[in-house]
Amino acid sequence: MIPDLTELFEKTQRSVTHLVLRDTYGTSGIGYRAWRDGVPIEEIRRYDHLLPWVEMVRGHVKRGVSFRRARVVSEPLSDYMRYEHAITPAANLRAGEQVRWLPRTQAYDLALPGCDFWQFDDELVCFVFQSGDGEPTGFTLIDDNPALSELCSTAFDAVWRRARDHGFYTPDLGSA
């Protein structure tokens, strides 16, 4: 299980970055299940499960913390990433996050950590681990390793520079 991000966000003064490297995550979430079952995104965006995230992030953005999320994805997008792309305006962008997308074919020459991470004020890093089917299996918090913090900052920045802003990213959806 990932640590309580609420506490980590509250301690953050300047920035939160999140590097997403997987094509699928746990598929038991209410929004994803509804979308997979054919519920339109317009209806899902009104679900109560999105509101706590939107309100929490929005509050931190208002106090001056920037939130940036970069997703490195395979194309055509997996079903899960198609859902993420569809829900991003109602969840992440609405909260005040900046979101960019980078096709994996454009990231092959970047040195990236082996798993997703959150980074807080370019220092504290929370590595997040998932099982093969995307369910959370654990995390590691690192706050005393400047070289590792620099690796994560550099990796995130490299992806961010190449990635396209959500509003300008048109994903390859394949035949889906």
Side-chain angles (χ1 to χ4, degrees):
M1 186 61 75
I2 187 167
D4 184 358
L5 289 175
T6 303
E7 292 178 21
L8 297 175
F9 291 160
E10 287 173 0
K11 295 176 183 176
T12 302
Q13 299 300 308
R14 298 176 312 280
S15 65
V16 174
T17 57
H18 183 50
L19 185 61
V20 176
L21 298 170
R22 293 181 54 91
D23 288 318
T24 192
Y25 291 87
T27 57
S28 61
I30 185 172
Y32 176 75
R33 285 193 335 256
W35 176 83
R36 185 191 60 212
D37 292 342
V39 176
I41 265 309
E42 296 74 31
E43 185 175 329
I44 295 169
R45 66 184 304 238
R46 293 190 293 266
Y47 285 14
D48 289 340
H49 77 283
L50 292 176
L51 292 178
W53 175 261
V54 169
E55 291 173 4
M56 177 182 60
V57 172
R58 187 180 287 159
H60 294 299
V61 169
K62 283 183 181 177
R63 71 176 178 85
V65 176
S66 80
F67 278 73
R68 296 185 299 156
R69 179 184 305 250
R71 294 180 172 126
V72 178
V73 294
S74 299
E75 291 187 316
L77 292 183
S78 67
D79 283 348
Y80 192 91
M81 281 298 140
R82 288 176 53 228
Y83 166 73
E84 285 289 320
H85 188 267
I87 202 68
T88 291
N92 310 97
L93 301 181
R94 182 173 163 207
E97 283 187 69
Q98 300 171 60
V99 178
R100 291 188 181 179
W101 299 76
L102 181 65
R104 200 168 306 282
T105 56
Q106 296 173 27
Y108 66 88
D109 60 341
L110 299 177
L112 303 175
C115 61
D116 292 7
F117 66 84
W118 291 86
Q119 189 169 25
F120 306 87
D121 290 333
D122 292 318
E123 295 171 4
L124 174 68
V125 179
C126 177
F127 290 103
V128 183
F129 308 107
Q130 288 91 12
S131 65
D133 61 1
E135 295 298 331
T137 61
F139 67 93
T140 296
L141 285 174
I142 306 289
D143 65 353
D144 58 354
N145 188 329
L148 193 54
S149 293
E150 180 64 23
L151 169 74
C152 291
S153 294
T154 300
F156 183 88
D157 289 342
V159 169
W160 191 257
R161 282 190 304 274
R162 284 192 189 175
R164 293 186 148 228
D165 183 77
H166 179 81
F168 296 102
Y169 173 67
T170 303
D172 177 351
L173 301 175
S175 60

